[in-house]
Amino acid sequence: MAFHITKAVIPAAGLGTRFLPATKAMPKEMLPVVDKPAIQYVVEEAVAAGLTDVLMITGRNKTALENHFDRIGELEATLLQKGDIERLRKVNYSTDLAEVHYLRQGDPLGLGHAVLRAKMHVGDEPFAVLLGDDIIDERDVLLSRMIEEQASRNATIVALLEVDPKLTHLYGIATVEATDDDDVVRITGLVEKPSTEEAPSNYAIIGRYVLRPEIFDILEHTPPGKGGEIQLTDALQTLAANPDIAGGVYGVVFRGRRYDTGDRLDYIKAIVQLAVDRDDLGPDLRPWLKTFAEGLD
Ligand code: G1P
């Protein structure tokens, strides 16, 4: 029977070392992408796909995340007093977006461990996992398509993107077989961050998963893998290799716009790409950017 998915889990316990010193006292999830913190894009995406129950797996130094999705009475009162309704609306929007829960990861044992921490909250239901470093353009469809496939196949679904073969060492990489659906592949194997030589394909997992609750038992028995961490990819490999356990693993191949905010260079690109498309910034930014680019050698 298809289950109506309502829960999203967002692992957000990472230290953000790639962005030091910006992330010394501030969570990397709060870095602004144009004028919204990266994490808000991800919560908005979950909500747009109907997932209004959000569990964030956090750690030390993450109180700014809780504050961002909470009321800030003093700020609201000041904006109201000034009659700045537009900004007040923006402030309230993130507060009212979703029902956000928080759980600390405790030991930093990897993505698989972070997802396992969601077991009690999720219970015996399929659920989504969204990684904060990836932003999917709101004009392109991904998560709702994955949820649809999860329901119809009663399987585990991951989002795949074809990447430059030189970049396989940054991703979980899948061995795939075609299905009758143009944008869906069956996954027969998965390996975490293989070298270009070892990679079975260039189909990379991007940070969106729709999982069945069986993943928790598998994660409990998954030993540390790459980097000494409990890898979600390794647990998914177990499911892919044993399709009788939980219906196997399928990939929805994403061909839309995805922005990586986990890396400094890609973060800068993401801000520029999103800003040029904005009605309030694009018209001025575009001509400036052209002139600026012409001046580069
Ligand atoms: C994680 C996963 C990896 C996946 C990637 C997507 O790696 O372990 O399998 O491809 O997210 O962004 P991370 O980027 O957290 O190192």
Side-chain angles (χ1 to χ4, degrees), residues 40-220:
Q40 189 174 328
Y41 288 85
V42 180
V43 174
E44 285 176 7
E45 182 191 338
V47 170
L51 314 179
T52 49
D53 177 329
V54 173
L55 174 68
M56 284 192 199
I57 311 293
T58 67
R60 296 179 62 238
N61 235 349
K62 301 286 183 174
T63 38
L65 283 178
E66 299 189 26
N67 289 339
H68 184 71
F69 293 101
D70 194 6
R71 300 230 92 82
I72 303 191
E74 208 178 278
L75 175 64
E76 289 172 30
T78 308
L79 290 171
L80 193 62
Q81 207 176 16
K82 285 185 182 165
D84 195 342
I85 302 305
E86 180 57 22
R87 289 208 174 84
L88 180 63
R89 198 188 56 76
K90 285 184 184 164
V91 166
N92 286 337
Y93 179 73
S94 62
T95 315
D96 301 332
L97 200 50
E99 177 75 21
V100 189
H101 307 261
Y102 302 88
L103 183 67
R104 288 217 185 186
Q105 185 175 357
D107 300 316
L109 299 178
L111 176 60
H113 176 255
V115 172
L116 182 54
R117 297 285 287 130
K119 181 178 176 176
M120 288 283 278
H121 182 85
V122 167
D124 198 23
E125 305 170 7
F127 63 105
V129 172
L130 293 87
L131 305 188
D133 286 348
D134 291 298
I135 292 181
I136 303 297
D137 198 298
E138 62 179 356
R139 294 163 292 186
D140 299 322
V141 177
L142 176 60
L143 193 55
S144 47
R145 176 82 187 97
M146 294 171 70
I147 291 171
E148 199 177 273
E149 280 303 307
Q150 199 287 322
S152 68
R153 293 179 192 271
N154 199 13
T156 295
I157 312 289
V158 303
L160 295 176
L161 182 77
E162 286 197 71
V163 298
D164 182 334
K166 288 201 283 289
L167 300 179
T168 56
H169 65 285
L170 299 173
Y171 299 97
I173 302 291
T175 308
V176 302
E177 283 174 2
T179 69
D180 291 341
D181 290 311
D182 168 54
D183 64 337
V184 181
V185 289
R186 194 169 87 83
I187 297 181
T188 56
L190 282 158
V191 49
E192 179 70 359
K193 300 183 178 154
S195 65
T196 306
E197 295 71 39
E198 290 161 344
S201 77
N202 69 332
Y203 282 95
I205 303 181
I206 47 173
R208 300 293 179 270
Y209 308 78
V210 183
L211 303 173
R212 286 182 34 156
E214 288 86 345
I215 195 75
F216 296 123
D217 283 345
I218 310 273
L219 281 168
E220 270 165 2

